[in-house]
């Protein structure tokens, strides 16, 4: 990627070599992917998207049987079909922060 724009979040620009051997600039004119997980992969690469998804799934695991887990699951479903808009993105971080403070009960393995 050659350009990050003036604010660091510009449209990506790539150098492409065409069939005639000439190097051309290809600027992506899209704003965001219409899937938050795909958008994270485009912004941070596959390792960043994997870590983002891992964080989300760990938070969901902490709160699975609680109303907070239901909220995270609903938001997760929403993000599969749309992207997180900037004014609502704070909701995700609040939910993830609340999930991080939840204590999961230790499960004892029954002894025969």
């Amino acid at each position: 990627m050659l350009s990050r724009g003036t604010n660091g979040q510009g449209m990506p620009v790539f150098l492409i070599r065409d069939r005639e051997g000439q190097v051309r600039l290809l600027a992506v004119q899209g704003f965001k992917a219409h899937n938050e997980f795909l958008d994270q992969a485009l912004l941070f690469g596959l390792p960043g998207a994997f870590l983002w998804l891992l964080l989300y799934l760990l938070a969901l695991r902490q709160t699975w049987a609680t109303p907070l887990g239901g909220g995270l699951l609903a938001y997760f479903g929403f993000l599969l079909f749309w992207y997180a808009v900037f004014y609502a993105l704070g909701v995700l971080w609040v939910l993830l922060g609340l999930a991080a403070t939840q204590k999961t009960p230790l499960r004892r393995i029954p002894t025969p």
Side-chain angles (χ1 to χ4, degrees), residues 52 55-56 59-60 63 67-69 71-72 75 86-102:
W52 193 86
L55 172 72
Y56 196 85
L60 191 59
T63 60
L68 179 60
L72 279 173
Y75 200 67
F86 70 93
Y87 52 83
L89 192 56
V91 171
L92 173 65
W93 294 110
V94 168
L95 289 175
L96 290 176
L98 288 172
T101 63
Q102 299 293 312

Side-chain angles (χ1 to χ4, degrees), residues 49-61 93 96 100:
F50 175 74
L51 289 174
W52 193 86
L53 186 61
L54 183 66
L55 172 72
Y56 196 85
L57 291 176
L58 286 175
L60 191 59
R61 180 177 171 232
W93 294 110
L96 290 176

Side-chain angles (χ1 to χ4, degrees), residues 24-64:
R24 300 179 188 261
L25 287 176
L26 173 67
V28 177
Q29 300 296 322
F31 173 60
K32 285 184 86 74
H34 288 281
N35 178 324
E36 184 62 24
F37 306 108
L38 178 60
D39 194 54
Q40 294 297 320
L42 290 172
L43 286 174
F44 303 115
L46 291 178
F50 175 74
L51 289 174
W52 193 86
L53 186 61
L54 183 66
L55 172 72
Y56 196 85
L57 291 176
L58 286 175
L60 191 59
R61 180 177 171 232
Q62 286 285 104
T63 60
W64 181 251

